[in-house]
Amino acid sequence: MPPVPSSVAKQAELLKQDGNTFFKKDRLGAAIDAYTEAITLCPNVPVYWTNRALCHRKRNDWDRVEADCRRALELDASSVKAHYMLGLALLQRQEYAEGIKALEKALDLGRGANPASYMVEEIWQELAKAKYSEWEHLSHARIERLDVLREACVKALGSQRMHGVSRVIGLSNEAEGDPEQLKHLSEVFRKAAEADIPSEVPDHLCCKITLDIFRDPVITPSGITYERAVLLGHLQKVGKFDPVTREPLNQHQLVPNLAIKEAVRAYLDEHGWAYKLN
């Protein structure tokens, strides 16, 4: 495609600015029209597509959100906003695996671009909710399958015991089985269901300041790990010292704690993120 004349590009930018103004005033229809005109003039500028997608998001028009974000990603595969909103759109259709994948991509890109950005925290919160929803959805399906299997096992035990014996009218299936066998069966299914019970996050995977699970852990020279954004806020607003040891501390001394980050990821994957954030 030939380069866009500078006058056309300038007009498209003015239309984008108009769209931004309309969006801030919650005039979504006018904002969409402005971004659409900008796209018509300069279809290869990804921010026009993501801006319009944001308008569609506020209208809960998720099909259009998805379409605009996919086009933006064709133009710029590193667009945090496009991956983020695409993930949200996919989750609306309960396409958990692909939606979570898009949110994880947005989170990784966002952390690299600006770790302290408010958007990183927002993406992380949405990712946590998505993981929980996925776990809850799969958990319900597993519980239903376990219930069906348990009933079949109880009936099988009852049939074995009553083989050749007339059934007593009104006797329940559980009463027909051998009490000791039923006790063992109940224990087996109780153990099988444990994975679907929400669990507490271990203390060593939580920030000492927020008491919440780590998103982006960093370690200080004193050996203490904190949540990056929270510690940066402390250094900027309170003072340049370690909140726990009170030793002098500067931002350049912080090192990503990859071991804790991987431990958090492993824990959440194993437990299905089976907890809800405050």
Side-chain angles (χ1 to χ4, degrees):
M1 181 177 290
V4 176
S6 59
S7 59
V8 175
K10 183 177 180 180
Q11 185 180 354
E13 274 298 300
L14 290 174
L15 286 165
K16 186 197 79 170
Q17 292 174 19
D18 288 342
N20 294 348
T21 301
F22 292 138
F23 181 83
K24 290 176 182 177
K25 294 180 179 180
D26 209 29
R27 296 177 58 189
L28 299 180
I32 289 172
D33 289 343
Y35 294 136
T36 300
E37 288 186 51
I39 288 170
T40 301
L41 293 175
C42 296
N44 292 330
V45 180
V47 70
Y48 300 163
W49 295 91
T50 52
N51 281 7
R52 191 170 71 174
L54 187 58
C55 295
H56 294 317
R57 176 190 172 188
K58 291 200 72 172
R59 284 184 162 184
N60 292 318
D61 192 344
W62 295 105
D63 287 341
R64 285 191 168 91
V65 170
E66 179 180 354
D68 280 357
C69 287
R70 289 194 184 281
R71 178 55 183 151
L73 289 173
E74 289 176 1
L75 299 170
D76 179 11
S78 65
S79 171
V80 176
K81 289 183 178 180
H83 283 292
Y84 176 41
M85 288 188 287
L86 174 60
L88 295 180
L90 293 170
L91 291 171
Q92 290 297 315
R93 296 205 301 266
Q94 295 188 344
E95 293 184 15
Y96 294 112
E98 290 303 312
I100 287 170
K101 182 179 178 181
L103 291 183
E104 288 177 334
K105 183 66 174 179
L107 185 61
D108 288 341
L109 290 169
R111 281 173 169 166
N114 184 4
S117 170
Y118 77 93
M119 193 172 181
V120 171
E121 178 66 15
E122 181 181 327
I123 296 169
W124 203 98
Q125 293 282 346
E126 290 294 340
L127 178 57
K129 288 192 292 184
K131 286 276 190 174
Y132 184 88
S133 296
E134 180 187 43
W135 171 85
E136 196 172 39
H137 176 77
L138 296 174
S139 175
H140 287 164
R142 284 193 297 267
I143 289 172
E144 288 180 359
R145 290 196 298 269
L146 279 176
D147 285 343
V148 171
L149 182 58
R150 179 180 176 277
E151 290 179 8
C153 290
V154 169
K155 288 180 180 179
L157 286 176
S159 297
Q160 183 181 25
R161 186 182 179 194
M162 296 303 292
H163 181 67
V165 181
S166 298
R167 293 181 178 273
V168 179
I169 297 177
L171 196 61
S172 69
N173 283 334
E174 291 206 22
E176 294 173 1
D178 179 85
E180 191 63 24
Q181 288 181 315
L182 288 172
K183 179 181 177 181
H184 290 316
L185 183 65
S186 178
E187 179 65 14
V188 168
F189 280 96
R190 186 187 69 78
K191 286 286 186 182
E194 284 183 353
D196 295 306
I197 299 174
S199 59
E200 293 293 329
V201 180
D203 289 341
H204 71 280
L205 299 182
C206 297
C207 176
K208 293 182 180 298
I209 299 176
T210 66
L211 302 181
D212 198 1
I213 194 165
F214 283 116
R215 279 85 152 161
D216 189 11
V218 291
I219 190 168
T220 66
S222 63
I224 299 177
T225 298
Y226 300 95
E227 181 63 31
R228 182 192 294 273
V230 175
L231 185 55
L232 290 177
H234 167 85
L235 295 177
Q236 294 169 3
K237 298 176 183 178
V238 181
K240 296 186 182 302
F241 58 87
D242 188 302
V244 174
T245 67
R246 315 294 289 184
E247 295 177 1
L249 180 65
N250 287 293
Q251 180 175 342
H252 68 83
Q253 295 176 284
L254 306 181
V255 177
N257 193 330
L258 301 180
I260 288 293
K261 185 175 181 179
E262 183 57 34
V264 168
R265 184 186 296 273
Y267 175 86
L268 296 178
D269 287 343
E270 180 181 351
H271 293 80
W273 293 48
Y275 67 98
K276 288 184 178 179
L277 298 175
N278 294 328

